[in-house]
Amino acid sequence: MTERVTRRMVIHGRVQGVFFRESMRAEATRLDIAGWVRNRTDGSVEAVVHGTPASVEAIVNWARRGPQDAQVGSVEVEESSGTYSGFKKRPSE
């Protein structure tokens, strides 16, 4: 079985109202990553991603840029746990 890792990210900057969640969902699907993404009330975006080490690294790197209209200031990344199926947009926190 292929090794899987799980990471939690909090993305800060101009990341709401720029299709960040939908763009991340599309990128996660392309990379075969499971997990979820949601807006937070503090203006950041939170995501949990689960996949191969290479695919998780790729989506973390993507999150540091985000979609075209985003202005990412910083991305906090920490180890997390859990297994997920599919990639979902969750309601705001």
Side-chain angles (χ1 to χ4, degrees):
M1 182 170 186
T2 305
E3 177 188 5
R4 299 274 197 200
V5 297
T6 305
R7 300 287 183 267
R8 176 181 171 267
M9 294 185 279
V10 179
I11 303 104
H12 301 274
R14 184 171 170 255
V15 293
Q16 290 189 15
V18 294
F19 296 101
F20 202 102
R21 292 178 303 150
E22 180 56 29
S23 297
M24 179 175 263
R25 188 203 58 74
E27 187 68 8
T29 299
R30 186 182 76 76
L31 293 169
D32 195 27
I33 287 177
W36 54 265
V37 62
R38 69 178 170 194
N39 286 338
R40 293 173 22 138
T41 56
D42 67 0
S44 65
V45 170
E46 179 181 19
V48 172
V49 295
H50 177 79
T52 65
S55 63
V56 168
E57 181 179 348
I59 202 157
V60 168
N61 288 335
W62 178 90
R64 290 188 169 108
R65 296 182 313 275
Q68 181 178 344
D69 292 334
Q71 295 175 349
V72 177
S74 66
V75 178
E76 300 171 37
V77 182
E78 61 185 35
E79 289 189 28
S80 191
S81 61
T83 55
Y84 301 89
S85 174
F87 196 87
K88 299 170 179 57
K89 291 191 309 185
R90 287 190 172 176
S92 298
E93 173 189 66

PDB file of all heavy atoms in Angstrom, residues 23-34 59 86-87:
ATOM      1  N   SER A  23     -10.903  26.509  -6.295  1.00  0.00           N
ATOM      2  CA  SER A  23      -9.638  26.242  -6.994  1.00  0.00           C
ATOM      3  C   SER A  23      -8.852  25.151  -6.285  1.00  0.00           C
ATOM      4  O   SER A  23      -8.258  24.281  -6.935  1.00  0.00           O
ATOM      5  CB  SER A  23      -8.800  27.513  -7.082  1.00  0.00           C
ATOM      6  OG  SER A  23      -9.470  28.498  -7.844  1.00  0.00           O
ATOM      7  N   MET A  24      -8.854  25.168  -4.945  1.00  0.00           N
ATOM      8  CA  MET A  24      -8.150  24.123  -4.197  1.00  0.00           C
ATOM      9  C   MET A  24      -8.841  22.777  -4.389  1.00  0.00           C
ATOM     10  O   MET A  24      -8.168  21.750  -4.532  1.00  0.00           O
ATOM     11  CB  MET A  24      -8.051  24.447  -2.712  1.00  0.00           C
ATOM     12  CG  MET A  24      -7.331  23.350  -1.929  1.00  0.00           C
ATOM     13  SD  MET A  24      -7.072  23.749  -0.204  1.00  0.00           S
ATOM     14  CE  MET A  24      -5.390  24.350  -0.304  1.00  0.00           C
ATOM     15  N   ARG A  25     -10.167  22.766  -4.436  1.00  0.00           N
ATOM     16  CA  ARG A  25     -10.888  21.516  -4.662  1.00  0.00           C
ATOM     17  C   ARG A  25     -10.504  20.924  -6.019  1.00  0.00           C
ATOM     18  O   ARG A  25     -10.221  19.734  -6.144  1.00  0.00           O
ATOM     19  CB  ARG A  25     -12.403  21.731  -4.594  1.00  0.00           C
ATOM     20  CG  ARG A  25     -13.191  20.413  -4.632  1.00  0.00           C
ATOM     21  CD  ARG A  25     -14.598  20.619  -5.119  1.00  0.00           C
ATOM     22  NE  ARG A  25     -14.664  21.224  -6.439  1.00  0.00           N
ATOM     23  CZ  ARG A  25     -14.387  20.589  -7.588  1.00  0.00           C
ATOM     24  NH1 ARG A  25     -14.016  19.333  -7.595  1.00  0.00           N
ATOM     25  NH2 ARG A  25     -14.475  21.230  -8.747  1.00  0.00           N
ATOM     26  N   ALA A  26     -10.429  21.760  -7.042  1.00  0.00           N
ATOM     27  CA  ALA A  26     -10.051  21.292  -8.382  1.00  0.00           C
ATOM     28  C   ALA A  26      -8.616  20.771  -8.391  1.00  0.00           C
ATOM     29  O   ALA A  26      -8.324  19.727  -8.993  1.00  0.00           O
ATOM     30  CB  ALA A  26     -10.226  22.418  -9.398  1.00  0.00           C
ATOM     31  N   GLU A  27      -7.714  21.484  -7.726  1.00  0.00           N
ATOM     32  CA  GLU A  27      -6.309  21.051  -7.672  1.00  0.00           C
ATOM     33  C   GLU A  27      -6.175  19.751  -6.892  1.00  0.00           C
ATOM     34  O   GLU A  27      -5.428  18.851  -7.281  1.00  0.00           O
ATOM     35  CB  GLU A  27      -5.443  22.153  -7.048  1.00  0.00           C
ATOM     36  CG  GLU A  27      -3.972  21.879  -7.086  1.00  0.00           C
ATOM     37  CD  GLU A  27      -3.359  21.904  -8.486  1.00  0.00           C
ATOM     38  OE1 GLU A  27      -4.033  22.274  -9.461  1.00  0.00           O
ATOM     39  OE2 GLU A  27      -2.166  21.552  -8.600  1.00  0.00           O
ATOM     40  N   ALA A  28      -6.899  19.623  -5.796  1.00  0.00           N
ATOM     41  CA  ALA A  28      -6.866  18.393  -5.001  1.00  0.00           C
ATOM     42  C   ALA A  28      -7.376  17.205  -5.818  1.00  0.00           C
ATOM     43  O   ALA A  28      -6.793  16.114  -5.777  1.00  0.00           O
ATOM     44  CB  ALA A  28      -7.687  18.568  -3.729  1.00  0.00           C
ATOM     45  N   THR A  29      -8.433  17.420  -6.574  1.00  0.00           N
ATOM     46  CA  THR A  29      -8.968  16.361  -7.425  1.00  0.00           C
ATOM     47  C   THR A  29      -7.935  15.957  -8.465  1.00  0.00           C
ATOM     48  O   THR A  29      -7.699  14.769  -8.707  1.00  0.00           O
ATOM     49  CB  THR A  29     -10.274  16.826  -8.095  1.00  0.00           C
ATOM     50  OG1 THR A  29     -11.227  17.126  -7.065  1.00  0.00           O
ATOM     51  CG2 THR A  29     -10.831  15.762  -9.015  1.00  0.00           C
ATOM     52  N   ARG A  30      -7.278  16.939  -9.065  1.00  0.00           N
ATOM     53  CA  ARG A  30      -6.244  16.665 -10.072  1.00  0.00           C
ATOM     54  C   ARG A  30      -5.092  15.856  -9.486  1.00  0.00           C
ATOM     55  O   ARG A  30      -4.547  14.959 -10.124  1.00  0.00           O
ATOM     56  CB  ARG A  30      -5.715  17.984 -10.646  1.00  0.00           C
ATOM     57  CG  ARG A  30      -4.747  17.817 -11.802  1.00  0.00           C
ATOM     58  CD  ARG A  30      -4.213  19.150 -12.294  1.00  0.00           C
ATOM     59  NE  ARG A  30      -3.208  19.707 -11.420  1.00  0.00           N
ATOM     60  CZ  ARG A  30      -1.935  19.280 -11.342  1.00  0.00           C
ATOM     61  NH1 ARG A  30      -1.535  18.276 -12.086  1.00  0.00           N
ATOM     62  NH2 ARG A  30      -1.073  19.863 -10.534  1.00  0.00           N
ATOM     63  N   LEU A  31      -4.744  16.152  -8.216  1.00  0.00           N
ATOM     64  CA  LEU A  31      -3.617  15.494  -7.555  1.00  0.00           C
ATOM     65  C   LEU A  31      -4.018  14.230  -6.802  1.00  0.00           C
ATOM     66  O   LEU A  31      -3.177  13.605  -6.159  1.00  0.00           O
ATOM     67  CB  LEU A  31      -2.944  16.467  -6.578  1.00  0.00           C
ATOM     68  CG  LEU A  31      -2.229  17.658  -7.207  1.00  0.00           C
ATOM     69  CD1 LEU A  31      -1.857  18.677  -6.138  1.00  0.00           C
ATOM     70  CD2 LEU A  31      -0.996  17.191  -7.972  1.00  0.00           C
ATOM     71  N   ASP A  32      -5.298  13.851  -6.859  1.00  0.00           N
ATOM     72  CA  ASP A  32      -5.815  12.678  -6.148  1.00  0.00           C
ATOM     73  C   ASP A  32      -5.623  12.811  -4.632  1.00  0.00           C
ATOM     74  O   ASP A  32      -5.162  11.893  -3.964  1.00  0.00           O
ATOM     75  CB  ASP A  32      -5.172  11.390  -6.671  1.00  0.00           C
ATOM     76  CG  ASP A  32      -5.939  10.152  -6.226  1.00  0.00           C
ATOM     77  OD1 ASP A  32      -7.157  10.255  -5.987  1.00  0.00           O
ATOM     78  OD2 ASP A  32      -5.306   9.080  -6.109  1.00  0.00           O
ATOM     79  N   ILE A  33      -5.987  13.975  -4.121  1.00  0.00           N
ATOM     80  CA  ILE A  33      -5.891  14.269  -2.694  1.00  0.00           C
ATOM     81  C   ILE A  33      -7.294  14.283  -2.107  1.00  0.00           C
ATOM     82  O   ILE A  33      -8.225  14.809  -2.708  1.00  0.00           O
ATOM     83  CB  ILE A  33      -5.208  15.632  -2.472  1.00  0.00           C
ATOM     84  CG1 ILE A  33      -3.724  15.486  -2.780  1.00  0.00           C
ATOM     85  CG2 ILE A  33      -5.428  16.150  -1.065  1.00  0.00           C
ATOM     86  CD1 ILE A  33      -2.954  16.759  -2.659  1.00  0.00           C
ATOM     87  N   ALA A  34      -7.424  13.714  -0.921  1.00  0.00           N
ATOM     88  CA  ALA A  34      -8.686  13.741  -0.187  1.00  0.00           C
ATOM     89  C   ALA A  34      -8.579  14.778   0.919  1.00  0.00           C
ATOM     90  O   ALA A  34      -7.486  15.215   1.287  1.00  0.00           O
ATOM     91  CB  ALA A  34      -8.984  12.361   0.400  1.00  0.00           C
ATOM     92  N   ILE A  59       0.313  20.170  -3.261  1.00  0.00           N
ATOM     93  CA  ILE A  59      -0.811  21.053  -2.944  1.00  0.00           C
ATOM     94  C   ILE A  59      -0.420  22.103  -1.911  1.00  0.00           C
ATOM     95  O   ILE A  59      -0.931  23.219  -1.934  1.00  0.00           O
ATOM     96  CB  ILE A  59      -2.091  20.290  -2.554  1.00  0.00           C
ATOM     97  CG1 ILE A  59      -3.297  21.211  -2.777  1.00  0.00           C
ATOM     98  CG2 ILE A  59      -2.026  19.769  -1.125  1.00  0.00           C
ATOM     99  CD1 ILE A  59      -4.602  20.533  -2.980  1.00  0.00           C
ATOM    100  N   GLY A  86     -12.518  11.599  -0.984  1.00  0.00           N
ATOM    101  CA  GLY A  86     -12.940  12.755  -1.761  1.00  0.00           C
ATOM    102  C   GLY A  86     -12.442  14.048  -1.146  1.00  0.00           C
ATOM    103  O   GLY A  86     -11.835  14.060  -0.079  1.00  0.00           O
ATOM    104  N   PHE A  87     -12.674  15.143  -1.828  1.00  0.00           N
ATOM    105  CA  PHE A  87     -12.264  16.455  -1.329  1.00  0.00           C
ATOM    106  C   PHE A  87     -13.486  17.352  -1.336  1.00  0.00           C
ATOM    107  O   PHE A  87     -14.129  17.525  -2.375  1.00  0.00           O
ATOM    108  CB  PHE A  87     -11.147  17.063  -2.182  1.00  0.00           C
ATOM    109  CG  PHE A  87     -10.458  18.202  -1.502  1.00  0.00           C
ATOM    110  CD1 PHE A  87      -9.388  17.971  -0.659  1.00  0.00           C
ATOM    111  CD2 PHE A  87     -10.890  19.505  -1.690  1.00  0.00           C
ATOM    112  CE1 PHE A  87      -8.753  19.026  -0.010  1.00  0.00           C
ATOM    113  CE2 PHE A  87     -10.267  20.558  -1.050  1.00  0.00           C
ATOM    114  CZ  PHE A  87      -9.190  20.302  -0.211  1.00  0.00           C
TER     115      PHE A  87
END
